[in-house]
Amino acid sequence: AAGTPRYFPGRRILLPAGCMGLGTILSLDEEADCAMLAVSAVDGHQEERTFSWRDVLLLNQRHGLPSTTNSTGATVLRLEDGMWADLSSPLLRAELARIALVLDRVFSQQVNAALEADDDKALDAARCTAVMAMRSCLDVTSFARAGGAARGRDRGRYAKDDVAKLAAHGEGHCRTCSSCFAPFLWCFAELLAIDPHYFTDAGARHQWLQFDTRPSMRSFACDIYRDELAFQRGEARGGHLAQPVESAYTQPADVGNGREWQLFPKDQPLELGGRHVVSAPLEPTDVAMG
């Protein structure tokens, strides 16, 4: 998938400017800052609308997480609520190694079969399986109880700022659950050929992740917290870890406590602990309108 375009006619993308919907790329004019998209009108028909290309990129381009370096020069990812992930930490490196072992089976079976068949849909499904397998390696739960009807605290679980310890045996809310999983998703993003995002909604009420699979550029919401709520209600794990955005962003989402609203990312990248998440710069092969 390296070198394949990210923006091309027919790709489904998130609509900026508060539209809270999805559109399909028809054409792009980078110099004129113009993106022509097909969107669904109120009556259900498709109509063409023009958006700012810069606004489209700000919402749809993959994210980079804030980081600093420690005293040895190793990268430390800076996340929500003061959380941090020191990539030189022996515990974090052990957790990454465990994930690598789990992913070996996914690659040797599903990924390999999809590549041999040249089947993009199967390859996307394999990456979704990989993300769910990664999540299964982390022992982190939420403060929510009874599917969000109540909250509690297991004092035996870690609930502070070290991601490695939180991933080993911790619990938190939507922000900490997302920040706990994010370093692992970003570390394996290149191997999985996915573009990761860290999102909040316009009202900053909820946080979750998203990943786009290359070369198809299909997008999937990865919501650790809501997946935990669903599991507490008796549903199988995984339903919200690789949910196509066509369903994740177009219907009311249960975020616990009887609260529902339509999830959709805000137009600008969020701040984590006072540091900005950044949109990655375009690469020379990212746009292909031919």
Side-chain angles (χ1 to χ4, degrees), residues 102-103 105-107 110-111 122-136 192 211 241-242:
V102 170
L103 290 182
R105 177 175 296 181
V106 179
F107 271 80
Q110 288 179 261
V111 172
L123 188 57
D124 290 346
R127 261 85 64 84
C128 291
T129 298
V131 169
M132 288 186 272
M134 291 170 63
R135 167 65 181 99
S136 71
L192 293 171
F211 60 93
L241 298 180

Side-chain angles (χ1 to χ4, degrees), residues 132 222 226 243 246 281 283:
M132 288 186 272
C222 180
R226 290 180 57 230
Q243 185 180 9
E246 288 81 2
E283 297 178 357

